[in-house]
């Protein structure tokens, strides 16, 4: 599988089958194979590491029919019965694919499973991007800051972007979009979890008027070591202050389920390329393919060379080499 991965347990969407619209592993991207992601931001908390392929231009990364064919095969397997969402997410910013609208409409014509798009929201000022997203059932943009200064510190965007333009883009999208608009806010200790920063974020959120605000923590290895998850106090503060704007959700973890890929190591490698996993998550994932003891599961994966381990808060995580 080049473009489809999972299903992956998502904190916000239950069991989610992933589609990577900017996949760099496809046969049409040989020259980009070395890059782990394609993005117009370089978030300090990014679980895919620092942005090396920094771009603002939308492009076609592979023919949409190739992905739709993979999806058709996946949906024909037993594992498709349990999928809650089909989610556009992956190795970078999905709206950088100029085929996103075609892909979403193609998926909608193939299945009744709802479609979500995880995006940083930076391109909503482009009417073509807003149109592309209209057929999705849920759109989940990011808003981690309420000021230009904090936006630059956390999301470290391409110099072409500015905070006000992004908020205006989100407002324009909200004005026409009838699906679910759930904004994600990453809470970083000592950076955006203090009262003043949260009030700034609440003011920006109020202008956009999302249906829900999803609080998330940088609990996977971030691009920068100074990024730490907010503690209980910070989460409570955020729930209180942002709760005045919209229903504020702090999602719990969900369990892994076996996907369509038959080889356990291949399945795990496809997931960690987009979503790094802890030792426990990796073992739980591999157990779905019959690998029952944790030690064996981890050893098998380490020996396969399909992932590298990194330490974070006393925990071991696996990410793509
Ligand atoms: S977190 Fe998302 S938006 Fe930020 S750098 Fe990583 S891929 Fe890009």
């Amino acid at each position: 599988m080049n473009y489809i991965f999972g299903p992956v347990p998502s904190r916000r969407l239950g069991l989610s089958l992933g589609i990577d619209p900017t996949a760099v592993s496809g046969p049409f991207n040989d020259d980009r194979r070395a890059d782990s992601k394609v993005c117009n931001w370089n978030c300090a908390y990014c679980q895919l590491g620092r942005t090396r392929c920094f771009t603002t231009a939308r492009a076609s990364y592979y023919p949409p029919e190739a992905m739709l064919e993979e999806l058709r095969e996946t949906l024909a397997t037993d594992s498709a019965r349990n999928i809650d969402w089909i989610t556009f997410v992956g190795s970078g910013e999905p709206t950088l694919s100029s085929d996103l609208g075609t892909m979403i409409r193609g998926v909608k014509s193939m299945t009744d499973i709802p479609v979500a798009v995880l995006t940083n929201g930076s391109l909503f000022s482009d009417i073509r991007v807003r149109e592309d997203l209209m057929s999705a059932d849920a759109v989940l943009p990011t808003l981690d800051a309420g000021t230009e200064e904090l936006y630059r510190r956390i999301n470290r965007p391409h110099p072409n972007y500015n905070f006000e333009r992004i908020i205006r883009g989100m407002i324009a999208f909200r004005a026409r979009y009838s699906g679910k608009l759930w904004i994600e806010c990453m809470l970083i200790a000592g950076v955006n979890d203090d009262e003043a920063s949260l009030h700034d974020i609440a003011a920006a959120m109020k202008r956009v008027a999302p249906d829900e605000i999803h609080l998330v923590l940088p609990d996977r290895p971030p691009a920068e070591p100074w990024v730490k998850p907010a503690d209980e106090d910070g989460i409570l503060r955020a729930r209180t202050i942002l709760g005045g704007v919209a229903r504020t959700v702090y999602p719990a973890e969900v369990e892994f389920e076996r996907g369509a890929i038959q080889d356990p190591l291949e399945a795990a490698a496809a997931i960690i390329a987009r979503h790094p996993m802890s030792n426990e998550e990796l073992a739980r994932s591999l157990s779905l393919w019959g690998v029952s003891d944790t030690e064996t599961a981890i050893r098998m994966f380490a020996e396969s060379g399909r992932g590298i381990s990194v330490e974070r808060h006393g925990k071991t995580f696996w990410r793509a080499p």
Side-chain angles (χ1 to χ4, degrees):
M1 296 273 174
N2 285 315
Y3 317 111
I4 311 268
F5 62 98
V8 182
S10 154
R11 287 173 296 195
R12 292 149 290 175
L13 299 169
L15 197 63
S16 160
L17 185 70
I19 296 176
D20 186 350
T22 58
V24 291
S25 57
F28 303 95
N29 290 290
D30 281 347
D31 54 334
R32 304 190 102 154
R33 221 175 266 275
D35 287 310
S36 62
K37 66 172 172 178
V38 176
C39 200
N40 49 8
W41 286 6
N42 179 23
C43 300
Y45 58 72
C46 187
Q47 60 187 20
L48 301 174
R50 289 183 188 151
T51 304
R52 284 181 289 172
C53 186
F54 212 44
T55 179
T56 57
R58 301 187 84 201
S60 183
Y61 286 85
Y62 56 81
E65 302 74 39
M67 177 280 285
L68 292 169
E69 190 46 46
E70 274 190 10
L71 182 64
R72 194 169 290 115
E73 285 166 22
T74 306
L75 292 178
T77 64
D78 281 353
S79 61
R81 280 198 316 255
N82 301 320
I83 295 168
D84 298 308
W85 287 84
I86 293 177
T87 308
F88 285 84
V89 60
S91 52
E93 169 49 34
T95 60
L96 282 169
S97 165
S98 52
D99 297 313
L100 185 61
T102 307
M103 290 185 186
I104 295 173
R105 289 188 292 276
V107 174
K108 294 293 292 176
S109 68
M110 197 184 291
T111 174
D112 291 334
I113 300 170
V115 171
V117 181
L118 267 64
T119 167
N120 61 22
S122 59
L123 297 178
F124 284 18
S125 54
D126 181 339
I127 189 165
R128 292 165 306 173
V129 172
R130 299 201 297 272
E131 289 302 325
D132 279 355
L133 293 169
M134 285 297 158
S135 348
D137 299 281
V139 174
L140 293 88
T142 299
L143 189 56
D144 309 315
T147 62
E148 179 81 36
E149 188 193 348
L150 199 53
Y151 166 56
R152 296 212 162 269
R153 186 169 166 209
I154 296 174
N155 304 114
R156 305 187 300 188
H158 187 278
N160 283 0
Y161 297 113
N162 73 71
F163 180 71
E164 183 56 24
R165 187 163 155 219
I166 285 170
I167 296 296
R168 286 188 187 171
M170 286 192 191
I171 293 169
F173 179 66
R174 167 80 289 181
R176 280 206 50 225
Y177 180 61
S178 56
K180 296 173 174 66
L181 183 65
W182 296 331
I183 298 192
E184 174 182 297
C185 180
M186 184 71 81
L187 287 178
I188 305 173
V191 177
N192 66 351
D193 65 342
D194 60 286
E195 234 178 285
S197 300
L198 287 166
H199 279 296
D200 288 338
I201 296 170
M205 293 274 192
K206 203 168 174 183
R207 293 175 65 197
V208 180
D211 298 300
E212 289 180 2
I213 297 169
H214 293 186
L215 301 177
V216 287
L217 297 176
D219 52 6
R220 289 166 205 285
E224 306 303 337
W226 51 263
V227 171
K228 312 275 183 221
D231 61 12
E232 288 300 318
D233 274 358
I235 296 166
L236 197 60
R237 211 162 27 244
R239 293 183 83 158
T240 309
I241 295 172
L242 300 179
V245 178
R247 179 167 174 259
T248 299
V249 181
Y250 179 51
E253 290 227 351
V254 290
E255 294 295 313
F256 283 97
E257 290 206 17
R258 181 171 171 163
I261 301 176
Q262 294 307 312
D263 174 1
L265 300 180
E266 189 192 330
I271 295 173
I272 64 161
R274 286 99 177 174
H275 182 88
M277 291 196 279
S278 66
N279 256 352
E280 296 72 23
E281 289 169 329
L282 180 61
R284 216 184 313 150
S285 172
L286 290 175
S287 73
L288 297 168
W289 279 265
V291 184
S292 53
D293 95 82
T294 305
E295 222 172 282
T296 308
I298 303 301
R299 185 170 42 74
M300 268 174 62
F301 195 69
E303 286 172 1
S304 77
R306 293 175 184 236
I308 51 169
S309 62
V310 284
E311 295 298 316
R312 167 83 174 147
H313 302 311
K315 257 180 138 175
T316 304
F317 287 87
W318 292 85
R319 61 163 40 153

